[in-house]
Amino acid sequence: MEIIEGITLNDLLQRLGIHSSWLLSTLEFTIRILFIAIVAWFTYFIARKWLAKIVVKLAGRTDTRWDDLMFDQRFFNYFAFFITPIVIRMVSFQIGLEYLVVINKIIDIWIVFAVAFLLSVVMDGVNRIYNSYPVARNRPIKVFIQVIKIFVYCVVTVIVFSIILGKDPEALLVGLSAFAAVLMLIFKDAILGFVAGVQLIANKMVNLGDWIVMPSANADGEVLEINLTTVKVQNWDKTISTIPTYKMVSESFTNWRGMEESNGRRIKRSVNIDVQSIHYLTPGEIEQLAKSELLKDYILTKKAELDINYADASTPLDGIRMTNIGTFREYMELWIAQNPNIAQNMTHMVRQLQPGPTGVPLEIYCFSARQKWVEYEKVQSDLFDHLYAVVPLFNLRLFQYPSDKWVAEGDNF
């Protein structure tokens, strides 16, 4: 015990082959590293938590919305990720650790990536701010934002390799020039998508919220997103169709924006009139139809005109008389003209088409003032419900193929 008590710490370290100077330097180095780690953690915590709360609170008190859209939580996460390596570099320089080449390279790479991520978040914020304005619906900038991001990431890749290899970035770019063909192949879709995106936006071919139909891509719905490589369409059955952006330029599609901007949605449907039910109106039929407020003026005016022009006609072969199909066509035109659900400032008419084996097609051509799908279908259905119900009052028959009831009742049908 006395021998052990007489040995100093320095003698014990020498017997163990450990020099006191090395131990002190190692201990000092460890303390410096721990100090840097504590400072880095404290800086990250302050930037992410406290700075975020202060800036968000100040942004909430302003009248403008751009700061609310710019400074979200992701911004402060990446800002803390950016500011931390800068503080580490400054502290390490002050305490004499700038000679650690590997650590300094890691810190430099960290700063480069942090800058790239921060720029990406800022550009996303700019896109959100731009989308808050009405002009964004017709002129989205997400394609350009994505192109800038790709450029930033390419620059970051070159800088990171230059840091690792310890070479000038210009020398790497010269070496990469031979690799340009491979890069063109890798980013082929991105390049085609960028060119197509510029064409789509510049020519106003498609905007966010447009209803488009593209059968080749099974797309029939509303445009949700236009980005560098794809156009996302939410179909009416709530599925999502993803269309390559360049296909929107190289292939045909239908955009229903014009219908929405015109404040009317077209109704174009025909019914077939049985030819055998068409005849001249009898005096009794004329008297009955003249009771209609819609037809009264037309019948009186038309009858007076025919009586003057064809008073000497002894047979229908020598003159013109009113027919039930012509009067019915005039009635439907008048009925459409006073219908509040029909866009009166747009073309509307009732016309005959080329007759065929199924009778004489009578087409209703007009525009519904209600454009939304459900309301539009209701307007169209109400129109034809009335047409089907009123046809027998003109002693006309709609053509349809014989049914079991027709065969069973024979002439009574």
Side-chain angles (χ1 to χ4, degrees):
M1 291 294 294
E2 293 179 357
I3 297 175
I4 295 175
E5 290 177 357
I7 297 176
T8 62
L9 178 60
N10 191 26
D11 294 336
L12 181 61
L13 292 174
Q14 289 180 355
R15 289 185 181 184
L16 294 175
I18 301 174
H19 297 283
S20 59
S21 60
W22 178 86
L23 180 62
L24 291 174
S25 62
T26 302
L27 183 61
E28 182 182 0
F29 177 79
T30 304
I31 293 173
R32 292 180 180 181
I33 293 297
L34 288 175
F35 177 74
I36 291 176
I38 293 172
V39 172
W41 177 85
F42 184 75
T43 303
Y44 182 80
F45 179 80
I46 292 296
R48 182 172 179 176
K49 299 293 184 181
W50 293 102
L51 183 61
K53 290 182 179 180
I54 294 172
V55 175
V56 169
K57 185 175 292 186
L58 292 176
R61 294 180 179 178
T62 59
D63 296 331
T64 58
R65 292 187 60 234
W66 68 267
D67 48 4
D68 300 334
L69 297 173
M70 174 64 76
F71 300 120
D72 61 351
Q73 187 58 46
R74 287 178 64 244
F75 174 83
F76 292 101
N77 292 345
Y78 286 115
F79 180 75
F81 186 71
F82 164 71
I83 201 70
T84 301
I86 296 178
V87 173
I88 293 175
R89 168 58 67 86
M90 294 172 60
V91 173
S92 64
F93 181 79
Q94 293 295 328
I95 63 178
L97 292 181
E98 68 277 3
Y99 62 88
L100 298 175
V101 178
V102 176
I103 294 180
N104 288 332
K105 284 187 175 182
I106 293 175
I107 293 175
D108 291 340
I109 294 173
W110 184 353
I111 293 174
V112 171
F113 276 112
V115 170
F117 293 151
L118 190 60
L119 287 175
S120 177
V121 173
V122 169
M123 286 186 287
D124 289 338
V126 171
N127 188 43
R128 287 195 298 272
I129 294 171
Y130 181 79
N131 288 336
S132 66
Y133 294 98
V135 69
R137 183 178 179 89
N138 299 325
R139 300 279 184 175
I141 62 171
K142 188 169 185 178
V143 173
F144 304 102
I145 294 293
Q146 290 180 321
V147 171
I148 296 173
K149 284 184 179 181
I150 290 177
F151 176 76
V152 169
Y153 291 141
C154 290
V155 172
V156 166
T157 303
V158 173
I159 294 176
V160 168
F161 276 106
S162 67
I163 292 173
I164 294 174
L165 300 176
K167 294 184 177 181
D168 190 10
E170 293 183 4
L172 290 177
L173 289 175
V174 173
L176 287 174
S177 60
F179 196 58
V182 179
L183 292 178
M184 292 286 289
L185 182 62
I186 293 174
F187 294 105
K188 181 189 71 172
D189 290 341
I191 295 172
L192 291 175
F194 170 69
V195 176
V198 172
Q199 289 180 303
L200 289 176
I201 295 172
N203 298 325
K204 297 183 179 180
M205 297 172 64
V206 62
N207 298 325
L208 297 178
D210 284 356
W211 171 18
I212 68 170
V213 178
M214 191 173 188
S216 61
N218 294 322
D220 183 5
E222 184 178 350
V223 177
L224 291 181
E225 181 180 339
I226 304 173
N227 56 44
L228 184 60
T229 56
T230 58
V231 174
K232 291 184 180 179
V233 178
Q234 184 175 43
N235 300 313
W236 300 124
D237 59 359
K238 299 305 179 183
T239 58
I240 303 294
S241 293
T242 302
I243 308 170
T245 306
Y246 61 86
K247 280 194 173 183
M248 301 293 293
V249 177
S250 61
E251 299 183 11
S252 63
F253 66 93
T254 301
N255 191 334
W256 289 79
R257 187 201 315 152
M259 177 270 294
E260 296 175 351
E261 293 176 350
S262 67
N263 298 321
R265 186 168 179 178
R266 189 180 69 175
I267 297 174
K268 184 182 178 182
R269 183 185 292 182
S270 60
V271 293
N272 293 327
I273 304 295
D274 190 343
V275 176
Q276 295 181 358
S277 67
I278 299 175
H279 60 270
Y280 287 120
L281 289 176
T282 64
E285 290 174 328
I286 293 175
E287 181 181 356
Q288 185 67 27
L289 293 174
K291 296 178 180 180
S292 168
E293 291 295 330
L294 288 178
L295 283 174
K296 180 171 62 175
D297 292 339
Y298 166 75
I299 290 178
L300 293 177
T301 303
K302 191 71 174 177
K303 187 174 182 301
E305 177 186 343
L306 295 178
D307 288 343
I308 294 174
N309 295 330
Y310 301 98
D312 298 334
S314 57
T315 68
L317 296 176
D318 298 330
I320 296 178
R321 294 168 56 186
M322 286 189 291
T323 62
N324 58 346
I325 189 172
T327 306
F328 173 69
R329 179 166 48 82
E330 182 66 23
Y331 168 79
M332 287 305 302
E333 288 180 350
L334 293 171
W335 191 85
I336 290 172
Q338 59 87 41
N339 191 331
N341 293 320
I342 302 299
Q344 301 300 327
N345 60 334
M346 305 181 73
T347 303
H348 55 84
M349 61 180 173
V350 181
R351 61 174 182 169
Q352 290 187 26
L353 301 180
Q354 177 69 32
T358 57
V360 179
L362 201 64
E363 183 183 77
I364 306 295
Y365 188 98
C366 59
F367 289 82
S368 167
R370 307 288 185 267
Q371 295 173 292
K372 293 185 178 180
W373 189 12
V374 176
E375 296 179 4
Y376 161 79
E377 292 293 346
K378 185 177 185 302
V379 171
Q380 182 173 238
S381 298
D382 288 344
L383 193 158
F384 280 89
D385 287 347
H386 180 74
L387 184 151
Y388 297 143
V390 81
V391 159
L393 299 180
F394 291 82
N395 290 324
L396 289 168
R397 290 194 305 269
L398 298 180
F399 181 89
Q400 67 177 21
Y401 290 106
S403 63
D404 294 339
K405 181 178 180 181
W406 191 333
V407 175
E409 295 184 1
D411 295 337
N412 295 327
F413 182 74

